[in-house]
Structures are given as C-alpha cells and as structure tokens.
Amino acid sequence: MGARPPDEPPGGAVELLTNRTLARLHPTGDHPERPERLLGLGGETVERWATREQLARVHVAAYLEVLERIDRTVQLDADTVCTPDSWEAATLAAGITLEAVDRSGFALVRPPGHHALAARAMGFCLVNNVAVAARYAQSELGLARVAIVDFDVHHGNGTEELFRGDDTVFFVSLHQWPFWPGTGGPGTSDDTTLNLPLPAGSGDEVYRIAFETSVEPAVRAFGPDLVLVSAGFDAHERDPLAQMEVTEEGFRELAARCASLGPRVAAVLEGGYNLETLPGLVAAAQDGFTE
C-alpha cells in the first residue's frame, strides 16, 4: 500500500494490523515469547515485508546477513531464539509496523523489537521494529521529528542506544527499576532521552502522574510530527515476567495519553506474556488510541 502523505493523517478508529503467519513463524517452544501470543488478538492481515534498505537504516549489514543465513534453531543470547524462518518473521513484523505508520495503526507483531541493538539481538528481539519505523517516517514520509514512547515494563535499551544524541528523535521509556536489562536508571536522561524508572508495584496512579508531570510536557515541548508507541503490556498486574500493577483501564489511559501527544500516532506490540489477559489489554489500548 502506498504511503500516506504526511499532511493527511488518517481519521477514525485505530486499526489493528497483523499477519496470521506470525503465529506460526519463529517457533520458540515454551519460551515466554511464543507464537501463541498473537492468537486471539485479531487484526487485519497485512502482506508487507521491510526491505533490506529500510532495515539497514538502523542495523548494520553484517548483522542482517547473519539473521538471514541462519538455517537451524540457535540461541543468539541467553534469552533470544532464532530459527530458520525467524528472518521472514522479523522482516514481516517490521513491514507491518511500517504499514502502521502509514495508516496510524497498531501493529500486532512478533518478535518484539525494542531491545535489539544495531549489531546484535537481545531480550527476545531481533529487529528493532519501532526504530525502523522512525527512520522510515523520516526518510520516506518526510516526518522530520519523531517521538517514541515506550511503556513496556523493561527499559527500551536498544531504541535508546540507536537514537541517543539524535535531536530529531525524542525517546521516552517508563519501566520497572531496578530490573532487567539494567539500563535506564536514575540520572540517565538527557536532551533527547527521558528515562522514568519506576519501582516494582507501581500501578495506574504512578503511571498517570509520570505522564502528567514528565512525559507530556517533554514530548509536547519537542513538538513531534509523529508519535510512535512501543506498546508492551508486561507491566500488567497479572503478567508473569514483572512486578507492576497496571490494570486494563490503566493501559487504555496510557494509550489515550500517547495519542494526544502529536498530530499522528502509530503503535507496535512489544511485551505482554500472559496469554489470557493480552487480548483484553490490546483491545483496551486500541480504544485508548482511538479516543
């Protein structure tokens, strides 16, 4: 589908965009990041793969070649699995995220991306979907200033590293601290990065105050042409991998607040590992993005 001109943001409900093959590709066994995460989420099927050129705006060529050539199941690090069809999954996930930018949609994809670094995989992530989307918006749509808001429970270290010091991209991360991956702690913010480390047990009210007092003033002062959301749901009160207390209504409000920060918004799924609660949380966020 052709790109929408940057001065014509779409209206109406935020569309859920996905591809059912992502619930089959990149099999990871009983790993927390497994194909079943996408079951029950719904969404319109999108057939779009990110090109090598689009991926190479954030990842080094040698790393992409390694991913493409993998022909057996391997552990890229202690947490991250790669299989013979993971390259197809990663390029499809990134491509659907680009479609979400064009249509102001919500990309329901896997594997997630916000820990992926320029030259290596990390934390379940192979390709940094939101970073690829940010550079796509700038390079191909003429959207000069991009804000990325990451409310996954883990610090978006890959995204931060890719854009640290770039005054055209403002990165915000709200995350449990201290916690894996050990980055994003107190005193790590600067002119282009806002890290908000939050203690275990934080719930809706803590996140609301963080948005009102820190996120919203900073992002509005930056003046983005596009807001991209790394929408992780592992800060939910029933997620098995963290110790936060955000509710379904809390995620609806987080999405609504993100949508109010710029003239257009798009989102991509990051974490969220309770298979029973994830569909309801995605639906709540969709409602929030549409408000």
Side-chain angles (χ1 to χ4, degrees):
M1 178 173 291
R4 190 184 306 275
D7 59 347
E8 297 181 13
V14 169
E15 299 173 281
L16 302 180
L17 306 176
T18 192
N19 189 300
R20 291 170 181 81
T21 63
L22 291 174
R24 172 181 56 81
L25 297 172
H26 185 58
T28 55
D30 60 359
H31 192 284
E33 202 301 286
R34 54 189 184 270
E36 291 83 358
R37 292 181 64 226
L38 295 189
L39 296 178
L41 300 188
E44 176 187 338
T45 297
V46 172
E47 300 280 343
R48 181 171 177 178
W49 287 259
T51 67
R52 181 65 69 92
E53 178 183 4
Q54 289 165 338
L55 299 176
R57 293 186 183 121
V58 300
H59 293 290
V60 301
Y63 170 62
L64 296 173
E65 290 167 5
V66 167
L67 291 182
E68 187 173 19
R69 290 200 303 264
I70 285 175
D71 59 3
R72 58 190 176 84
T73 299
V74 297
Q75 290 284 145
L76 298 180
D77 67 14
D79 303 305
T80 311
V81 178
C82 196
T83 74
D85 58 15
S86 293
W87 173 251
E88 181 181 358
T91 55
L92 178 57
I96 296 170
T97 308
L98 303 187
E99 188 75 12
V101 173
D102 288 347
R103 296 164 60 176
S104 286
F106 186 176
L108 303 180
V109 297
R110 58 174 295 275
H114 71 151
H115 298 305
L117 303 161
R120 69 181 178 94
M122 184 176 177
F124 313 169
C125 303
L126 303 177
V127 165
N128 196 309
N129 300 312
V130 78
V132 173
R135 290 303 190 212
Y136 165 78
Q138 293 178 321
S139 300
E140 300 184 43
L141 302 184
L143 298 169
R145 297 174 70 78
V146 179
I148 300 172
V149 179
D150 186 335
F151 56 69
D152 188 278
V153 81
H154 302 97
H155 178 238
N157 64 298
T159 310
E160 176 186 295
E161 183 169 313
L162 288 165
F163 295 117
R164 173 73 80 164
D166 182 341
D167 63 8
T168 69
V169 178
F170 188 72
F171 175 67
V172 179
S173 180
L174 304 95
H175 47 273
Q176 182 174 324
W177 175 267
F179 203 42
W180 189 94
T183 52
T188 58
S189 299
D190 62 18
D191 290 344
T192 64
T193 301
L194 176 60
N195 282 320
L196 296 169
L198 304 173
S202 296
D204 297 355
E205 182 67 6
V206 172
Y207 277 78
R208 182 190 64 77
I209 292 171
F211 260 76
E212 287 185 351
T213 61
S214 299
V215 178
E216 291 167 1
V219 174
R220 289 186 175 126
F222 173 73
D225 301 304
L226 169 69
V227 176
L228 294 174
V229 183
S230 276
F233 296 95
D234 36 8
H236 184 251
E237 58 191 348
R238 291 177 56 195
D239 195 273
L241 296 192
Q243 296 83 42
M244 296 302 235
E245 299 292 336
V246 180
T247 68
E248 186 173 298
E249 181 56 35
F251 282 110
R252 181 180 288 104
E253 182 173 357
L254 288 179
R257 288 182 177 274
C258 288
S260 74
L261 294 177
R264 57 193 291 169
V265 64
V268 58
L269 180 66
E270 299 285 1
Y273 302 101
N274 184 322
L275 301 184
E276 294 181 358
T277 60
L278 188 57
L281 301 179
V282 167
Q286 181 188 24
D287 289 345
F289 287 130
T290 302
E291 289 179 0

